Amino acid sequence: MKENKKKLTDLNHIGEFGLIDLITKDFEIVNESTELSIGDDAAILDYKNQKSIVTTDMLVEGVHFDLSYFPLKHLGYKAVVSSISDICAMYGITKQITVSIAVSNRFKLESIQELYSGIKLACKRYNVDLVGGDTTSSMKGLVISVTAIGCANESGYVKRSESQINDLILVTGSLGGAYLGLQVLEREKQVFLVNPNNKPDLSKYKYVVERQLKPEAKSEVIDFLMENKIKPTSMIDISDGLSSEIIHLCKSSGKGCRIYEEKLPILKTTMDICKEFKLEPSTIALSGGEDYELLFTINSKDFEKIENHNEFTVIGHITSETGINLITKDGKTTPITSMGWKSF
Ligand code: ADP
Ligand code: MG
């Protein structure tokens, strides 16, 4: 590998305030609700008479990401997306974020700037203002925490707990890609450790690797639902896999469900890569995490408003009995567990 000859800047040369200044100076404020941003002891937001929605996510090096294959720019982007996805899941629109980082002295200024270039890209893409954060040192590794703040529209927010019997269960996009992307990256890392001269050809895996390294939040889906006055009865984002999220949703609602295996939205490319890894596509769709899709329920009278929209797939319905069940392709009924489903 070619050595990177560029001189990198030690963080202790510029100090904490120098660092904060350098990483935050290029951010623009685009939202009216941001009254006061970075530079004071706290930010001031003005949501007039709207309800505000707040969520926080923390990512820890070695636990949630591995920098040997996760570029810092992508990490910044993904950290923001994952918080925006939680606001989406409340039927909200994200307006502001704060970002807190803990960095060890192994990191140079240029690396932190890379991280912030991803954060900035996400802010631009989703019309979000960076209004504050905190910067501190860590003994080892990188920690990044993003708090997202947003608001509901006049029709209100959506909880996990209000699904009703006979509601349709829908999911956005397609499932399983992000998990497979991680499998591909982990495999390439192992190959690289054995033979550093090996140049991986990831073109065949572009889609799944992108699902892992550059996920998007479903904010346009929320815009569409709001514009068409479709208010889900319950909603949750799929960050830990469909099976564990459907269990959360049903348990909070005190209901059961039937999910049809044949309805799970899985792309052909995902299926092909499953085959290569000797994985079962339905298992991956149910248990693979980090897809950042939305899982929600609607009253069946709203169905005609979305049936022609290719973003949505009806995968089942809410039932009066409390069992959380999968109807398999061969017609068997089997309980869904947070790891997938009980196959016997
Ligand atoms: P304080 O001493 O009050 O905690 P800081 O010196 O940590 O203030 O921060 C100064 C300003 O910079 C504040 O507006 C804070 O929100 C912002 N800030 C600090 N660190 C970050 C960061 N990593 N990303 C974005 N904004 C930050
Ligand atoms: Mg501080």
Side-chain angles (χ1 to χ4, degrees), residues 176-189:
Y179 177 83
L180 286 181
L182 185 62
Q183 300 313 303
V184 170
L185 291 165
E186 290 277 2
R187 184 178 69 184
E188 294 314 322
K189 180 186 173 183

Side-chain angles (χ1 to χ4, degrees), residues 16-17 20 41 133-136:
E16 183 189 329
F17 300 119
I20 295 173
D41 297 302
D134 201 21
T135 307
T136 183

Side-chain angles (χ1 to χ4, degrees), residues 58-98:
M58 187 184 283
L59 299 175
V60 178
E61 186 178 357
V63 179
H64 301 104
F65 59 89
D66 181 337
L67 289 178
S68 55
Y69 54 73
F70 216 113
L72 280 161
K73 183 173 178 178
H74 288 256
L75 178 67
Y77 193 89
K78 184 171 178 172
V80 177
V81 160
S82 111
S83 290
I84 294 177
S85 177
D86 282 325
I87 301 275
C88 288
M90 300 305 292
Y91 203 53
I93 302 165
T94 309
K95 300 288 186 184
Q96 290 87 15
I97 55 166
T98 64

Side-chain angles (χ1 to χ4, degrees), residues 3 6 12 23 38 55 65 67 76 98 165 221 263 312:
E3 277 236 10
K6 217 175 112 203
N12 52 16
I23 58 184
I38 293 170
T55 180
F65 59 89
L67 289 178
T98 64
I165 295 165
V221 164
K263 302 281 188 200
F312 305 110

Side-chain angles (χ1 to χ4, degrees), residues 19 25 31 33 38 64 66 79 86 96 121 159 168 177 189 208 216 221 234 244 271 284 309 319 324 327 338:
L19 174 64
K25 68 179 166 50
N31 287 303
S33 50
I38 293 170
H64 301 104
D66 181 337
D86 282 325
Q96 290 87 15
L121 201 62
K159 300 200 283 185
L168 300 174
K189 180 186 173 183
V208 295
E216 300 290 356
V221 164
S234 68
S244 84
M271 297 227 192
I284 300 312
H309 196 299
T319 55
I324 298 165
I327 314 300
S338 57

